[in-house]
Amino acid sequence: MISGRRSRNLFVGLLKSATTVSELSQTHAQAIVHGLQHDLAFLTKLTHRFSDLNALRRARHLFLTVPNPDLFLFNVLLKAFSDHHSPSSAISLYSHLRNNTTLFPDEYTYAFAISSASSFKDPRYGILLHAHSVVNGLSSNPFVGSSVVDLYCKFSKVGYARKVFDGMPDRDTALWNTMISGLVRNCCYSDSVRVFAEMVVGGTRFDSRTLAAVLPGVAELGELLVGMGVHGLAMKVGLECDVYVLTGLVSLYSKCGEIERARFLFGKMSYPDLICCNAMIAGYTCNNDMEAALRLFKELVALGKKVNSSTIVGLIPVSSPFGHLQLANSIQSFCLKCGILSDPPVSTALTTVYCRLNEIEFARQLFDESPEKSLASWNSMISGYTQNGLTEAAISLFREMMPVFSPNPITMTSILSACAQLGTLSLGKWVHGLIKSKNLESNIFVKTALVDMYAKCGSIKEARDLFDLMTEKNVVTWNALISGYGLHGHGHQALELFKEMLHSGVAPNGVTFLSVLYACSHSGLVREGDEIFKSMVLDHGFEPLPEHHACMVDILGRAGQLEQALEFIIRMPVEPGVVVWGSLLGACMTHKDTRIARVASKKIFELDPGNTGYYVLLSNIYSADRNFPKAAMVRQVVKNRKLEKTPGCTLIEIGETTHVFTASDRSHPRANEIYAMLDKLTGKMKEAGFQIETLTALHDVEEEEKELMVKVHSEKLAIAFGLIATEPGTEIRIIKNLRVCLDCHNATKFISKITQRVIVVRDANRFHHFKDGVCSCGDYW
């Protein structure tokens, strides 16, 4: 008979060589024959090997046969549950250890248990385990700390993760890596680079995992110089040939538009693995070189390499989908054939492409048919609805998602964008409350989206307060507030903020200049607008887009300088488009210039003959000039071509309920009260000197009938309802989908004075703040 120690060593050796569950079971049977059925060291090794082969039931059953398992065996099984995402089993085992044994959990117990808890959909289990580790004095252990940081990052509680990380007395490389990768996962790219810099400056040794963790963050920021610095560090410590680092560098250079550098690095690998091939395919795709992407993909398939979902995601033209609908359909068919269409990353990428191509029905069908929806899947569909202006659908889907997943920064930025489009301040504040409760306020993208939402929902002061509290601001943040000032007609504040931005060192982009020019156009700042336009070209090297030219035309046109505006268009280095001519036509309406209006409208109808709005605008110009026959001819063209005018409607929120009115609307339950209030207001307004503006109303009816028609415009109905549905003295906010008409604008000034109410109107162009008979736009809109 072999001695106990020799017998154990023999069977442990057999365990290492076993490659199947069957072989392990046979070895176990022989070990029992040789008297090892109670040998704790052998049973622990056997449990470990069952776990390695994903035989968790066998591992658990074996554990239950051990009469007095030690802590090491508990930890082995806990790690198995953690590695194989069995959180319920892990928590049950942890509870058994605490409640039914005399053993005390150590750092490994907590690390494995907390890691398991991160697989739950609810963070409470992990938070409770974290509390236990604090009570037991193990929370400062780097191994436990790393698991806690990872837990909070997985639930997008980045603030908590950072607090734990900052409080750790000893931080090893693994802990730093966990913090960096967690920040990248939560789109805190600037923070991830900053933490990496702290790590390097502090002298902590970094490894290939560190570089592979930070490079995606650098790539998303598009910081080529920072990426080159990381590349240099990799070369300095001999990690530049590590496959994970090389893969990260290929992705970095690709996303920064340096596709040749990416191709060169890819070529340095004699036998690139599938992960690196996937990065190169994605690199070609994001640089819109679909031919090269497809060629590499076909090479992989021809070589018999099994492509995975990451390969397909890299091939899907998410960043530049236009013109690739057929390719997206082909990829979907290939995925269906290979059985990977239901993989969340694949279905999410295809959903995103269909949304960007405005194929919303395809996107929603794919989303609904996905058996397993990730948070990214929900984010993609919510974002798709928002980008396509289907804001109510976005908000509805967001509410549906809430019981299933905890939103992350991407979810919040999408839903805040929907709130901004709708202009519903109460909904935006509700989302802001959620952001606070989920501890997502520290994210720069979420904060920027909040600034944008408050500005577009009429609360420019709250937008500025949030902006001032931000310690970090990117170009999008500055643009959001500059644009907000423009929307509210605060041109001088927009210019001051632009100067602050330049002084802060943040480089402006095309959107910045567009926002500043827009602010100038809505405040009559002709000289300042001209200086900004010239500075954009001469000092900052920006080639003006059609939108920038249109803003300059708008600036000149609104100021009554129509001849100069026309001359500006003629001198444009590129062919002026419909947006540019449209700006000129709008100015002709303001200043009743039919001669230049004819020039502008002729060009517009050549470029965009199907846009009803421009026909209506031209008809109104003729009506204002009392040229009713010409106005009638233009409207007849609209009828003959069967073009449909966008119906005007106005929205008002009372509490959390939204009410929508159209012209002459009598469908509201309180219609009688609304019309009674309107009659009362009209009488008082006329006594105060108000005269109804009827020049742009329908021209083929009697004057009295025109007065009745403009009297019941949707914004007047909404304001009348606001007066009867809210407390005296409270602010009234309404949203009009079209540009507010001259008559309604004048009427609202009178109503604000008569009722002593502040009335905020958001129309298609901007905000109007009416108080004491005066509008913030200075009648310049």
Side-chain angles (χ1 to χ4, degrees):
M1 176 71 83
I2 306 173
S3 69
R5 181 180 294 276
R6 289 179 59 199
S7 177
R8 178 196 300 150
N9 291 341
L10 171 67
F11 284 106
V12 166
L14 291 173
L15 289 180
K16 290 179 181 177
S17 61
T19 57
T20 65
V21 174
S22 176
E23 289 175 2
L24 283 178
S25 298
Q26 290 175 30
T27 304
H28 186 200
Q30 289 297 318
I32 291 171
V33 171
H34 286 80
L36 294 175
Q37 65 268 33
H38 298 303
D39 188 293
L40 190 57
F42 171 76
L43 293 175
T44 300
K45 290 284 186 184
L46 180 58
T47 303
H48 191 205
R49 289 295 292 136
F50 274 130
S51 303
D52 287 343
L53 296 177
N54 201 20
L56 292 187
R57 287 188 179 180
R58 298 295 295 271
R60 184 194 287 114
H61 177 73
L62 182 62
F63 172 85
L64 293 174
T65 65
V66 179
N68 294 301
D70 62 3
L71 185 60
F72 187 74
L73 179 54
F74 267 100
N75 288 345
V76 165
L77 192 55
L78 264 177
K79 185 177 186 302
F81 290 142
S82 173
D83 291 344
H84 293 93
H85 306 291
S86 299
S88 297
S89 299
I91 298 303
S92 175
L93 184 63
Y94 169 80
S95 298
H96 177 68
L97 167 66
R98 280 179 62 94
N99 300 327
N100 301 316
T101 75
T102 57
L103 300 171
F104 290 96
D106 63 6
E107 65 268 30
Y108 300 104
T109 315
Y110 281 115
F112 299 144
I114 292 168
S115 179
S116 290
S118 67
S119 295
F120 283 114
K121 289 183 178 179
D122 192 317
R124 286 179 296 180
Y125 299 97
I127 293 170
L128 182 63
L129 287 166
H130 180 203
H132 284 183
S133 71
V134 172
V135 171
N136 287 0
L138 292 168
S139 60
S140 60
N141 179 277
F143 198 44
V144 177
S146 188
S147 293
V148 173
V149 168
D150 185 59
L151 167 87
Y152 287 128
C153 286
K154 281 181 178 175
F155 286 101
S156 297
K157 294 182 178 294
V158 177
Y160 290 164
R162 189 62 202 256
K163 192 172 182 181
V164 170
F165 176 79
D166 290 341
M168 297 294 292
D170 298 307
R171 293 180 282 193
D172 60 11
T173 301
L175 180 58
W176 284 91
N177 291 353
T178 302
M179 189 71 249
I180 292 167
S181 60
L183 289 167
V184 171
R185 280 203 311 271
N186 283 279
C187 309
C188 302
Y189 306 122
S190 297
D191 289 339
S192 70
V193 174
R194 193 157 39 247
V195 169
F196 173 70
E198 287 174 22
M199 179 184 185
V200 174
V201 171
T204 304
R205 186 184 65 84
F206 59 86
D207 57 18
S208 60
R209 289 178 183 271
T210 319
L211 301 180
V214 76
L215 280 169
V218 181
E220 290 297 331
L221 289 170
E223 293 282 1
L224 179 60
L225 291 177
V226 176
M228 291 172 72
V230 176
H231 191 177
L233 282 173
M235 294 173 71
K236 188 176 179 180
V237 297
L239 291 172
E240 77 276 13
C241 292
D242 180 274
V243 66
Y244 297 108
V245 176
L246 271 175
T247 301
L249 289 169
V250 166
S251 183
L252 164 81
Y253 286 122
S254 298
K255 288 185 177 178
C256 290
E258 298 285 335
I259 192 66
E260 289 306 320
R261 287 196 195 190
R263 198 198 311 263
F264 171 75
L265 289 172
F266 180 74
K268 284 179 70 175
M269 287 180 268
S270 304
Y271 302 101
D273 63 7
L274 182 61
I275 296 171
C276 204
C277 287
N278 291 349
M280 194 68 242
I281 288 170
Y284 285 133
T285 301
C286 76
N287 283 276
N288 207 20
D289 189 351
M290 293 310 302
E291 188 178 333
L294 285 165
R295 186 166 56 247
L296 181 53
F297 173 74
K298 288 174 182 176
E299 284 176 21
L300 284 176
V301 175
L303 289 169
K305 291 192 177 180
K306 189 172 173 136
V307 297
N308 60 17
S309 58
S310 296
T311 320
I312 300 300
V313 169
L315 187 63
I316 296 170
V318 174
S319 57
S320 52
F322 304 105
H324 295 308
L325 178 59
Q326 188 175 350
L327 174 62
N329 289 335
S330 299
I331 292 171
Q332 183 175 347
S333 300
F334 177 85
C335 294
L336 186 62
K337 192 175 179 181
C338 295
I340 58 174
L341 183 60
S342 60
D343 285 9
V346 173
S347 61
T348 299
L350 283 169
T351 298
T352 303
V353 165
Y354 287 137
C355 285
R356 290 183 179 175
L357 291 171
N358 201 18
E359 298 288 342
I360 292 293
E361 289 185 11
F362 278 175
R364 186 58 196 252
Q365 182 180 350
L366 194 60
F367 175 80
D368 287 339
E369 290 176 355
S370 299
E372 183 186 346
K373 296 179 181 70
S374 64
L375 178 57
S377 307
W378 288 89
N379 286 346
S380 175
M381 198 66 239
I382 290 168
S383 175
Y385 277 137
T386 303
Q387 289 161 10
N388 286 279
L390 301 169
T391 49
E392 291 182 359
I395 291 163
S396 174
L397 192 63
F398 173 69
R399 291 182 187 276
E400 191 181 326
M401 185 204 82
M402 287 294 290
V404 184
F405 280 105
S406 182
N408 67 4
I410 296 172
T411 326
M412 289 310 190
T413 52
S414 293
I415 211 65
L416 284 169
S417 177
C419 294
Q421 286 182 42
L422 276 174
T424 49
L425 184 60
S426 64
L427 185 64
K429 286 187 172 181
W430 173 71
V431 175
H432 192 178
L434 276 177
I435 289 166
K436 289 178 179 176
S437 70
K438 302 291 181 184
N439 201 37
L440 295 174
E441 269 194 309
S442 61
N443 184 279
I444 186 172
F445 299 103
V446 173
K447 279 186 175 178
T448 298
L450 279 167
V451 170
D452 184 61
M453 182 275 292
Y454 277 114
K456 287 178 178 173
C457 288
S459 293
I460 192 69
K461 184 184 181 303
E462 287 188 70
R464 182 62 196 243
D465 289 344
L466 276 170
F467 177 88
D468 289 339
L469 287 170
M470 292 176 69
T471 53
E472 179 191 1
K473 304 176 183 79
N474 59 22
V475 66
V476 183
T477 315
W478 289 92
N479 290 349
L481 192 57
I482 291 170
S483 172
Y485 277 135
L487 275 173
H488 289 266
H490 301 324
H492 290 288
Q493 288 94 322
L495 285 171
E496 284 301 315
L497 193 65
F498 176 64
K499 290 175 187 174
E500 280 183 46
M501 176 185 180
L502 296 179
H503 184 70
S504 75
V506 176
N509 59 17
V511 176
T512 315
F513 288 109
L514 192 62
S515 299
V516 178
L517 289 171
Y518 179 91
C520 291
S521 74
H522 282 266
S523 300
L525 304 176
V526 180
R527 179 180 57 81
E528 293 86 346
D530 184 55
E531 288 174 359
I532 292 290
F533 188 83
K534 288 174 181 174
S535 170
M536 174 176 69
V537 179
L538 299 175
D539 300 332
H540 297 276
F542 275 99
E543 193 66 34
L545 296 171
E547 291 82 359
H548 297 106
H549 285 110
C551 263
M552 274 310 299
V553 171
D554 200 45
I555 287 170
L556 294 167
R558 285 177 188 272
Q561 300 178 21
L562 297 176
E563 291 290 349
Q564 293 90 325
L566 182 58
E567 185 64 28
F568 179 87
I569 293 173
I570 293 168
R571 292 199 318 268
M572 277 175 58
V574 293
E575 191 67 30
V578 71
V579 177
V580 174
W581 288 111
S583 293
L584 183 60
L585 187 62
C588 291
M589 172 64 201
T590 302
H591 298 285
K592 302 178 176 61
D593 190 319
T594 54
R595 183 182 65 81
I596 294 180
R598 281 194 292 271
V599 176
S601 60
K602 183 182 177 184
K603 292 289 186 179
I604 287 170
F605 298 147
E606 286 174 5
L607 295 167
D608 189 7
N611 192 315
T612 316
Y614 292 121
Y615 287 97
V616 173
L617 189 55
L618 181 61
S619 172
N620 287 342
I621 292 169
Y622 283 128
S623 293
D625 196 42
R626 296 189 178 278
N627 192 340
F628 299 132
K630 282 278 190 182
M633 286 173 60
V634 174
R635 290 182 182 266
Q636 191 59 47
V637 170
V638 174
K639 288 180 183 177
N640 292 343
R641 294 190 179 181
K642 296 181 179 177
L643 301 175
E644 291 187 6
K645 178 182 179 292
T646 303
C649 65
T650 302
L651 174 151
I652 182 170
E653 273 191 302
I654 304 295
E656 294 185 3
T657 306
T658 302
H659 303 260
V660 180
F661 294 89
T662 55
S664 306
D665 194 350
R666 288 190 175 270
S667 62
H668 197 277
R670 300 181 69 178
N672 291 338
E673 295 174 76
I674 292 168
Y675 277 85
M677 172 58 76
L678 204 52
D679 286 336
K680 182 179 175 183
L681 286 172
T682 304
K684 288 186 177 181
M685 285 158 56
K686 284 185 176 179
E687 287 174 12
F690 172 69
Q691 290 184 332
I692 292 177
E693 167 62 53
T694 61
L695 283 177
T696 57
L698 292 176
H699 48 270
D700 54 354
V701 295
E702 294 298 324
E703 193 70 20
E704 188 178 341
E705 192 175 343
K706 290 181 189 179
E707 289 193 14
L708 288 172
M709 289 175 138
V710 295
K711 176 182 172 183
V712 288
H713 276 184
S714 61
E715 47 264 66
K716 290 178 184 171
L717 294 173
I719 291 170
F721 175 61
L723 289 169
I724 65 174
T726 60
E727 291 295 320
T730 56
E731 186 177 271
I732 294 172
R733 292 170 174 264
I734 66 170
I735 300 168
K736 176 75 184 282
N737 67 326
L738 305 176
R739 183 179 182 272
V740 65
C741 75
L742 179 60
D743 180 71
C744 286
H745 191 268
N746 289 338
T748 308
K749 287 196 291 184
F750 274 86
I751 294 171
S752 71
K753 187 166 187 176
I754 291 166
T755 61
Q756 291 296 293
R757 296 279 198 116
V758 173
I759 303 172
V760 180
V761 179
R762 172 180 150 179
D763 71 2
N765 291 345
R766 59 173 296 160
F767 277 94
H768 302 262
H769 295 256
F770 297 90
K771 184 179 180 182
D772 295 327
V774 178
C775 181
S776 60
C777 74
D779 297 339
Y780 198 87
W781 88 104

